[in-house]
Amino acid sequence: MDKNHKGGEFIFKVVSDEIIDDRDVKSNKDFLKILQLYNRHANFKEIVKYEDNTAKIGYHIFQEYDSLRKNVTYFLYLFEGIYWQKTYNHIKSTHPDVFKDRGLVIILPKEKNQVNPEKRKQNIQNRFRPLNIYYVDDFIRELCTPKSITENKGDKYLDIPNFIIPSFEVNNSTIEDTNFFKDWLNHEDEPILVLKGAGGIGKTTFAQFIADKFITINPNSSVLFIDSSEIRNELIKREKSYENINVYNFYEALYEINSSDGEKLNEDLFRLNLDAGNFLLIIDGLDEVISKVPKFDVDEFLNSIIDYTSEQGNGKIIITCRSYFWESSKYDSNQIVTAELLPFNEKQTQRFFEKSYNQDKRKVEKSLKIAEE
């Protein structure tokens, strides 16, 4: 504080939300599909879909009539980027029946850069007084998807006591910490992370490290790991039935090999869960498919991932691949983040030996000498 500024004045200018809020109102094109997956036997009737980007009002309402119980349930989807108080007032004045008999279920998206999702949920609960309220990713995971698919066992994926974080090259810059990958996990509309590097350099291990970070950030989500070397023969066998091999076909091939792992997701349910961020998908060793599946088109495959994750924008897919095979792809997109693993430098090598030999200086020095030679 400036001591010579005694007696001065501060002038505060109040800026209204309407001026500073430049978010676009965004609907969810999959809302009806989500409801149909929740209850395959119900007949959902659309009541209204309303959007006013200037006033920041947006919602979609479907009605379900239960002929057995003779009651009505309204399903309300609140659009992203809205003022929920204005939206409430609009619904109350134009469709008051929605609020009768506590037959309202609200589904809402997580806003980008949202700090306190539970507080927002409680605020809407207090105003709308619905029968129930869900974030859309929770609704898909809890009410539309078999539990065996999204169940998180709580185990760590990386179980290596001497793990050392390597360096990476991203856009010709060397990175030596993991904040870059944490930022990627938290960033919307960036679905694909490619970890490339030489064979045996640790791409799979680091993918498992990121998987643990993902579960820490998203404790209700899970990880789906696909080893390309395991599924390549299944893809070759099925290739004639595919126009282009897409990301769901990888999951299908995995399911055929491990069909005892619970109920198979249909393509819509797989896409919705991936797009919602309900699981992190790891495709390990894509070069095995690139080099051995004759008609595999990398660009079409990546297009399918971007298409599958374009609605909610929360999907996360890690692809590991040897550098040589990845460079053969001509795909260029700001939705693909590429990081190349670098060999250990001297400090990393020393830390690796220290962990491996439990700080035994004699063994560490001997190992370093052999490494240098």
Side-chain angles (χ1 to χ4, degrees), residues 180-194:
F180 171 82
F181 301 99
K182 185 178 178 181
D183 290 344
W184 174 74
L185 287 172
N186 286 316
H187 202 281
E188 297 89 356
D189 300 316
E190 265 187 9
I192 303 172
L193 169 65
V194 177

Side-chain angles (χ1 to χ4, degrees), residues 13-26:
K13 293 184 178 180
V14 178
V15 181
S16 70
D17 287 345
E18 284 78 0
I19 295 174
I20 63 173
D21 194 339
D22 59 354
R23 298 171 299 167
D24 287 330
V25 172
K26 183 183 177 185

Side-chain angles (χ1 to χ4, degrees), residues 175-267:
I175 296 174
E176 295 191 355
D177 63 60
T178 59
N179 286 334
F180 171 82
F181 301 99
K182 185 178 178 181
D183 290 344
W184 174 74
L185 287 172
N186 286 316
H187 202 281
E188 297 89 356
D189 300 316
E190 265 187 9
I192 303 172
L193 169 65
V194 177
L195 297 177
K196 65 177 184 176
I201 203 168
K203 299 182 293 295
T204 303
T205 300
F206 197 76
Q208 292 171 333
F209 173 79
I210 299 175
D212 286 340
K213 296 296 181 187
F214 173 81
I215 292 299
T216 300
I217 297 169
N218 306 282
N220 294 322
S221 298
S222 57
V223 176
L224 180 59
F225 188 94
I226 299 178
D227 185 338
S228 296
S229 63
E230 288 185 1
I231 67 166
R232 66 175 183 240
N233 291 334
E234 188 68 30
L235 288 175
I236 291 170
K237 187 167 67 175
R238 293 162 159 262
E239 190 177 24
K240 288 182 180 178
S241 64
Y242 299 142
E243 182 177 348
N244 287 300
I245 296 175
N246 64 30
V247 65
Y248 179 69
N249 301 143
F250 272 56
Y251 165 74
E252 281 186 309
L254 178 71
Y255 183 84
E256 289 304 315
I257 296 168
N258 303 309
S259 55
S260 61
D261 289 354
E263 184 180 339
K264 178 183 174 184
L265 299 180
N266 63 34
E267 189 167 3

